[in-house]
Amino acid sequence: MNPSVEASELPAARTPPAAISTLMLVAMMAGTLFNLFHPHPGAVALVGVAAAVFLLRERHRLPPSIRRVTLALGAITLLLLPLAAAPGQSLSKGVAIGGLMASIISSVTLMARAALAAPQTGVVARHLLATGLRSRYLVVSLACQLFGGLMGLAGVSMLMDMASKGEVQVEEDRLSMLAAIMRSFAAATLWSPMFSNVTILLALYPGLTWSTVVPLCLAMAACSIVLGSLLEMRRLRHRPLVPPLPMPRAPLFRALLPMLVAMGVFLAAVIALAHALKVAVVAGIVLLIPLAVLVLHALQAQGPARLQQARQRLREDYLKLPALAGEVALFMAAGCGGTVIASVIPVAWTSAIGSVLATSPFLACFALIAIVIGLAFLAVHPVLTVVLVGTALPPAMVGLPVTVHMSVILVAWGVASYATPFSMIALMAHRYSGHSVMAVTVALNRGFAVIYLGLAILFLGTIATVLRGAG
């Protein structure tokens, strides 16, 4: 359908409210970018005010479960705020983190919508959904490594949209596809520079490079995919074999190649821009995605005035962003609540804890994972959690090699993203599946998470023991 026709069909009475709410989201993104380039209280204040106005205008969009969670977090934040060492600073950090997460999800949603409109995406989706049930989990997991590793959350969002629209025999099969995407997304965060996880942790370990830690991270990513595939085979062991859907006539390679080239170019541009401007990769993503989306829409437009059609489609995409009100509410609440909670945790205990953990690499791995997962269940933002753990319980204190220490935290951070309810990927799965946040996190992944973390402790603990013995 012509984009201008779609725009004319929008009710005129709804356009101004949507435009104002969209403007507030754009103001949040602008304040976040300014704060990334030049940290300033005024930029954080802009983020906070824009978020407050946006949530006030879009409060009717908040699902009841998210409304209850955000109100509870808000109450906890207000109760603990007077106990914080620096209340204003803690709250400012929370607003900045919430604005950063909201900016990321808004940007990648724009990218996902544009990518989903491409005809090549439909061909890839039909090939994925036509894969046999017994091999679908593995295929979807590998696809998520590819799309998630190169496009970040935009690729994950695109795959979730495919999974939500595909026909399945029972709803459990759809949840299985979502589980594959969530777990593979977490595995991609272990090694992909499109995510801030590795970048943040490398900043905590002077002298450590990405190439040094990536072999262990790739091993843990492969372990996640293999374990998930084995558990999926066990789930389907008593299911009768069903003939797969007929494969599309369009060749997969012909559709996949231009997508891979485009994603590779985008990834290279983001990394180059972030390096040239000496800012976090997140800033490059937020800056470049609108331009990338405009280019995608222009390539997909038909007839004359293609650039004008692309601008109109981009405007329509922005006007749909207020649908993310639930995500914005939860991230702002979790950001503010997390910073305040983290600021009142006593740090005098860390030396005594470290001396106990240093007695066994396996105990140290278990404790670091337990702390990260436990704080994630308390809605403490993972960025704050890993910084707190990495600085309060450094490798030397707990007796772990630096590469193992970093890998343990990355693994725990990844599991927390899909096995606890306070994460961006959990909200995305909730939105695409229609199931509650608890259903697509704890209920869906608790068995897998326990086994995977147990294997991670055994593997990384053994590596640490060997390296300590060699030293």
Side-chain angles (χ1 to χ4, degrees):
M1 181 180 291
N2 191 311
S4 60
V5 175
E6 290 183 356
S8 65
E9 292 175 355
L10 294 174
R14 292 180 57 188
T15 302
I20 294 173
S21 295
T22 300
L23 182 62
M24 292 299 101
L25 274 180
V26 172
M28 287 177 60
M29 297 166 72
T32 297
L33 283 173
F34 188 88
N35 194 54
L36 287 172
F37 281 96
H38 301 287
H40 192 276
V44 178
L46 172 62
V47 172
V49 171
V53 175
F54 172 78
L55 292 175
L56 182 64
R57 297 184 62 85
E58 300 296 329
R59 60 189 182 277
H60 62 281
R61 294 181 185 265
L62 301 182
S65 59
I66 293 180
R67 187 180 295 114
R68 288 192 296 269
V69 169
T70 53
L71 289 176
L73 284 175
I76 293 172
T77 302
L78 292 176
L79 288 173
L80 295 179
L81 191 60
L83 303 177
Q89 185 179 3
S90 297
L91 199 59
S92 178
K93 284 183 179 179
V95 171
I97 289 172
L100 178 62
M101 295 297 104
S103 299
I104 292 173
I105 196 169
S106 298
S107 299
V108 300
T109 299
L110 290 175
M111 176 71 88
R113 286 200 179 109
L116 283 167
Q120 292 88 350
T121 304
V123 174
V124 174
R126 289 193 294 273
H127 274 276
L128 286 176
L129 295 174
T131 305
L133 191 61
R134 297 184 185 278
S135 59
R136 185 178 298 169
Y137 183 100
L138 178 60
V139 172
V140 171
S141 296
L142 295 176
C144 190
Q145 287 291 293
L146 177 64
F147 289 104
L150 292 177
M151 290 180 63
L153 281 170
V156 178
S157 178
M158 182 176 67
L159 289 173
M160 282 193 174
D161 188 90
M162 295 177 186
S164 67
K165 294 177 179 177
E167 295 184 5
V168 292
Q169 288 183 308
V170 293
E171 190 62 21
E172 184 181 352
D173 295 337
R174 190 186 312 281
L175 288 174
S176 173
M177 283 195 289
L178 286 173
I181 295 169
M182 296 168 73
R183 296 165 188 170
S184 187
F185 154 79
T189 64
L190 296 174
W191 61 267
S192 173
M194 277 299 289
F195 303 100
S196 60
N197 304 39
V198 176
T199 304
I200 290 171
L201 281 172
L202 285 176
L204 298 178
Y205 304 92
L208 190 64
T209 62
W210 176 79
S211 59
T212 304
V213 75
V214 77
L216 273 180
C217 293
L218 285 174
M220 295 311 304
C223 177
S224 173
I225 294 173
V226 171
L227 175 63
S229 299
L230 291 175
L231 291 177
E232 178 69 3
M233 291 171 61
R234 181 178 180 275
R235 182 183 75 88
L236 298 172
R237 66 189 186 280
H238 297 308
R239 291 275 294 274
L241 288 175
V242 178
L245 296 175
M247 285 290 180
R249 292 184 178 180
L252 177 60
F253 180 76
R254 187 176 297 176
L256 197 56
L257 181 60
M259 297 179 69
L260 293 178
V261 172
M263 288 187 291
V265 170
F266 176 75
L267 175 59
V270 165
I271 295 176
L273 180 64
H275 179 73
L277 299 179
K278 294 180 172 57
V279 293
V281 174
V282 171
I285 293 172
V286 176
L287 279 172
L288 285 183
I289 276 184
L291 178 60
V293 171
L294 187 66
V295 171
L296 283 174
H297 283 324
L299 292 174
Q300 297 164 19
Q302 302 292 329
R306 299 173 68 175
L307 185 58
Q308 181 180 353
Q309 294 181 47
R311 287 198 298 265
Q312 180 65 25
R313 288 294 302 271
L314 181 61
R315 178 179 179 275
E316 293 171 11
D317 289 341
Y318 269 103
L319 289 175
K320 294 174 183 176
L321 288 181
L324 300 174
E327 283 87 339
V328 175
L330 190 52
F331 290 133
M332 294 304 297
C336 296
T339 51
V340 172
I341 293 171
S343 68
V344 300
I345 297 176
V347 295
W349 302 344
T350 56
S351 58
I353 295 174
S355 62
V356 174
L357 299 182
T359 60
S360 169
F362 299 97
L363 178 61
C365 292
F366 171 79
L368 293 178
I369 288 174
I371 292 171
V372 174
I373 299 293
L375 291 178
F377 271 106
L378 293 176
V380 180
H381 195 275
V383 173
L384 293 177
T385 300
V386 299
V387 171
L388 176 64
V389 172
T391 54
L393 297 171
M397 181 180 290
V398 298
L400 290 177
V402 178
T403 53
V404 174
H405 190 274
M406 180 176 174
S407 300
V408 169
I409 295 178
L410 279 172
V411 166
W413 189 352
V415 172
S417 69
Y418 60 79
T420 65
F422 306 112
S423 71
M424 188 180 301
I425 194 70
L427 282 174
M428 290 172 64
H430 155 71
R431 181 156 51 88
Y432 281 112
S433 69
H435 294 272
S436 69
V437 174
M438 291 295 291
V440 295
T441 54
V442 180
L444 183 61
N445 294 294
R446 59 177 180 264
F448 174 87
V450 170
I451 299 173
Y452 177 61
L453 290 177
L455 292 174
I457 292 169
L458 290 174
F459 176 70
L460 295 174
T462 301
I463 296 294
T465 301
V466 172
L467 292 177
R468 282 173 58 173

